[in-house]
Amino acid sequence: MADLPLIVSVDDHVVEPANVWQDRLPSKYAEVGPRIVRAPMGEITFVGGKLTVKPGSEGAPTDWWYYEELRRPLLRLDAAAGVPRDEVTMKGVTYDDMRPGAHQVKPRLEDMDVNHIEASLCFPTFPRFCGQTFLEASDKELGLLCVQAYNDWMVDEWCADSAGRLIPLCLIPLWDAELAAAEVRRNAERKVRAVCFSEIPPFLGLPSVHDPQNYWDPFFRACAETGTVVNMHIGSSSKMPSTSADAPPAVGSTLTHTNATFSVVDFLFSGVLVRFPTLQLAYSEGQIGWIPYILERADTVWEENRGWGGVADKVPEPPSTYFRRQVYGCFFDDAHGLRSVDDIGADNITYESDYPHSDSTWPHTKEVAERQMAHLDDDTRYKIVRGNAIKLFGLDHLANAAPVS
């Protein structure tokens, strides 16, 4: 067996530096745009998967994002890399309490080297996984400027200083599909091939992918025409799965894959993948072990319930056809899923390290991959940890790089 190829991680995270918006927004927004304020941590509640925190008058110093009326602290969960598991709590932290790689390019590249990672796609923190923070804000003119400022920072600083190792992932203004399409095209001109989207838009008060007026088609069309991959992270619907308001966070954490499951089924039966046959969807941190059953069940429903299922005129082929052609799963620690590679499709699986979150396999990602993929042949391992991501995101500069270190 060959050495494990250098990994292209398609789901990591960045804690935005304090100056991202203050350096880019017009001066009139200095007091309402996103900015960092240091204050003590106050009361924390976590009910039904929803976190609520408030600044306090006493306690450890914490760096807070202030934006309009929002007060959002930096949490240990945002940057848990290198911290013992038992110390990863809802504690508020400052930038000084984090590994520098959480928010600085050079230390991030160093931490990637330690972890056998050659390239990384990073989701946002303060904007949340698909920009919900700006969707929920009252001033949409400012919200659009904040989306654009984040994207400019992502392209011009975070990725530009990485010699091609950090892969740009941009936001859209979720509240307007036409503006979203324009932002996709603006960034595509800068060679951006990845954009964030919500796994279940109705949970955000937005039209679904089943909308009879095809509300999202301008956005999907822009992505298809520019080769921009639609990336949906678990939690990008702002509604983490749980069973009750008094269920502990561990219940929701165990069930995080279910939103990705719901979303895949939504798309398979929506007709979107039929209308846009080159559109590519990527599910981040959703794991992969559930995929074989869902594809089997979707095909059975399509075959046996066409008379009343409401999809006969929209989905002319078995749903699994569209999954194989246009959908990618992503995982970081899923031994069960790796025993089902043949049923999922080796060409539809990508890998991640989830740095610097609490679930991250850093700095042992290589060892975890080698252990869980020991039964796979070299070609399959190459596709999963590297090759599929290079093809999906058009990472031509990595295609001819040395495959192993």
Side-chain angles (χ1 to χ4, degrees):
M1 181 177 293
D3 289 341
L4 188 78
L6 288 172
I7 297 165
V8 177
S9 174
V10 300
D11 173 31
D12 293 310
H13 301 266
V14 58
V15 177
E16 298 79 18
N19 66 324
V20 168
W21 289 277
Q22 289 292 296
D23 284 358
R24 292 169 178 79
L25 293 175
S27 58
K28 67 178 182 177
Y29 292 118
E31 297 302 316
V32 292
R35 60 205 184 279
I36 287 290
V37 175
R38 184 161 292 185
M41 191 74 165
E43 181 183 3
I44 304 175
T45 58
F46 194 90
V47 178
K50 183 175 179 60
L51 175 70
T52 302
V53 290
K54 297 178 180 179
S57 58
E58 300 178 357
T62 297
D63 284 337
W64 293 76
W65 281 108
Y66 281 28
Y67 171 46
E68 293 189 339
E69 302 304 314
L70 175 66
R71 304 293 182 261
R72 196 279 193 194
L74 298 184
L75 297 171
R76 172 52 66 210
L77 287 178
D78 295 331
V83 178
R85 294 289 185 183
D86 289 346
E87 297 178 19
V88 179
T89 67
M90 293 294 180
K91 171 186 175 183
V93 297
T94 69
Y95 285 98
D96 296 335
D97 298 325
M98 303 178 185
R99 288 190 67 83
H103 57 96
Q104 297 177 29
V105 174
K106 186 175 183 294
R108 170 61 66 96
L109 298 179
E110 293 170 351
D111 281 353
M112 289 163 59
D113 289 340
V114 168
N115 205 29
H116 200 69
I117 305 287
E118 181 171 20
S120 170
L121 185 82
C122 295
F123 282 83
T125 298
F126 170 70
R128 312 216 307 270
F129 292 138
C130 66
Q132 302 103 299
T133 296
F134 305 124
L135 170 68
E136 295 169 0
S138 58
D139 187 337
K140 290 301 186 288
E141 179 181 355
L142 171 57
L144 177 60
L145 291 173
C146 286
V147 167
Q148 293 171 336
Y150 177 89
N151 293 341
D152 291 345
W153 167 79
M154 168 63 59
V155 174
D156 298 335
E157 289 192 29
W158 181 250
C159 295
D161 293 338
S162 72
R165 295 185 63 188
L166 295 174
I167 306 161
L169 174 62
C170 287
L171 299 174
I172 57 170
L174 289 162
W175 56 91
D176 189 312
E178 294 286 356
L179 287 177
E183 187 62 11
V184 167
R185 296 185 190 280
R186 182 177 83 95
N187 290 306
E189 291 179 356
R190 304 191 286 185
K191 302 187 185 306
V192 175
R193 290 282 302 275
V195 67
C196 302
F197 189 58
S198 174
E199 58 202 352
I200 308 177
F203 286 176
L204 304 180
L206 298 169
S208 80
V209 295
H210 305 288
D211 179 67
Q213 305 303 317
N214 297 331
Y215 174 85
W216 292 108
D217 274 15
F219 166 65
F220 292 138
R221 182 175 297 107
C223 291
E225 291 178 354
T226 61
T228 299
V229 181
V230 178
N231 296 264
M232 291 170 281
H233 196 285
I234 56 167
S236 57
S237 62
S238 296
K239 185 177 180 180
M240 294 300 286
S242 191
T243 56
S244 64
D246 55 356
V251 172
S253 184
T254 302
L255 297 172
T256 52
H257 71 283
T258 57
N259 278 357
T261 307
F262 296 160
S263 182
V264 166
V265 175
D266 251 357
F267 272 99
L268 293 181
F269 285 119
S270 68
V272 170
L273 302 180
V274 179
R275 294 196 300 278
F276 302 104
T278 62
L279 183 67
Q280 303 288 294
L281 310 179
Y283 285 90
S284 304
E285 205 173 323
Q287 309 294 16
I288 58 174
W290 51 270
I291 292 174
Y293 169 73
I294 285 298
L295 295 183
E296 177 183 287
R297 177 60 182 163
D299 282 355
T300 298
V301 170
W302 177 86
E303 180 67 37
E304 297 185 358
N305 301 323
R306 292 174 60 80
W308 60 268
V311 297
D313 59 338
K314 293 192 299 184
V315 185
E317 299 180 78
S320 62
T321 304
Y322 306 103
F323 181 92
R324 306 263 190 259
R325 188 177 74 189
Q326 295 173 253
V327 183
Y328 292 77
C330 174
F331 77 102
F332 60 88
D333 190 353
D334 188 347
H336 173 75
L338 286 169
R339 293 193 293 270
S340 306
V341 168
D342 290 343
D343 295 323
I344 299 167
D347 294 330
N348 298 84
I349 303 173
T350 57
Y351 200 49
E352 62 169 284
S353 76
D354 197 31
Y355 177 102
H357 280 189
S358 59
D359 274 336
S360 178
T361 51
W362 185 91
H364 306 296
T365 303
K366 178 183 179 183
E367 289 80 359
V368 172
E370 287 178 327
R371 181 176 68 253
Q372 294 188 348
M373 300 184 200
H375 65 291
L376 300 176
D377 61 64
D378 292 341
D379 182 60
T380 301
R381 294 199 309 162
Y382 181 87
K383 286 181 178 181
I384 291 174
V385 305
R386 182 182 180 84
N388 291 337
I390 290 173
K391 180 180 179 181
L392 177 62
F393 294 101
L395 305 176
D396 296 340
H397 64 288
L398 301 179
N400 297 320
V404 297
S405 66

